[in-house]
Amino acid sequence: MSEQDWQSLDIKKILELLPHRYPFIMVDRILSVEPGVRIKGLKNVSINENFFQGHFPGEPVMPGVLMLEGMAQVGAVLAYLTDREQTADKLVYFAGLDGVKFRRKVVPGDQLIYELTVKKQKSRFWVMEGRAYVDEALVAEAQLMATFA
């Protein structure tokens, strides 16, 4: 994938990078990338998501942990695009979360925008600040730590 292709990635290109598949892929498109610095991704939240069957019937709310998973997946795309040599043929794993806050609920019809910024990278260890927005309103934030193995 050339650097020119990095500015916007559709789901086909995302699936080339991430091992996640339905029903656990939590990003639909990468909107912009600055390798090694920041990334912005998008998730369309649909009533057809399987988790809405049980969370909660009659009052569908996207689970916060799945918003964090979406942040992590977008962060993994950034890491894969930033350092192909170090991350090739490896999986990204959560190493920790800090400062997690959920600001408001996310419901079917919302469009989540994930924005992640690299705070630290040392070898295969990454620390990123993540924020999720709906209609420019902050809905979730966290510091994510990850490693490749």
Side-chain angles (χ1 to χ4, degrees), residues 47-133:
I47 191 63
N48 295 324
E49 307 280 356
N50 65 349
F51 51 80
F52 285 132
Q53 294 175 25
H55 200 268
F56 302 101
E59 182 68 29
V61 175
M62 184 174 185
V65 295
L66 295 182
M67 286 186 265
L68 295 173
E69 177 63 28
M71 281 186 208
Q73 290 178 16
V74 171
V77 170
L78 177 59
Y80 285 127
L81 292 176
T82 297
D83 192 353
R84 298 297 302 220
E85 195 172 298
Q86 190 73 247
T87 60
D89 301 323
K90 294 190 173 55
L91 292 176
V92 63
Y93 294 98
F94 265 133
L97 291 166
D98 282 331
V100 176
K101 292 187 176 113
F102 300 106
R103 304 288 184 183
R104 76 173 262 257
K105 63 184 179 179
V106 174
V107 298
D110 284 345
Q111 190 173 69
L112 271 170
I113 303 295
Y114 295 116
E115 295 182 2
L116 285 97
T117 304
V118 175
K119 293 299 176 187
K120 180 180 177 182
Q121 182 210 352
K122 186 173 182 179
S123 186
R124 290 183 280 188
F125 184 76
W126 291 71
V127 178
M128 295 185 195
E129 288 291 328
R131 290 186 172 76
Y133 298 88

Side-chain angles (χ1 to χ4, degrees), residues 8-72:
S8 178
L9 289 98
D10 64 15
I11 190 63
K12 290 184 217 172
K13 290 179 183 172
I14 293 167
L15 292 174
E16 288 175 16
L17 295 170
L18 296 180
H20 306 78
R21 295 295 179 263
Y22 177 84
F24 218 67
I25 189 79
M26 295 291 148
V27 57
D28 295 321
R29 176 174 294 281
I30 299 299
L31 301 172
S32 64
V33 180
E34 190 177 338
V37 179
R38 68 178 57 93
I39 189 167
K40 185 187 279 190
L42 173 148
K43 166 72 175 145
N44 291 306
V45 181
S46 166
I47 191 63
N48 295 324
E49 307 280 356
N50 65 349
F51 51 80
F52 285 132
Q53 294 175 25
H55 200 268
F56 302 101
E59 182 68 29
V61 175
M62 184 174 185
V65 295
L66 295 182
M67 286 186 265
L68 295 173
E69 177 63 28
M71 281 186 208

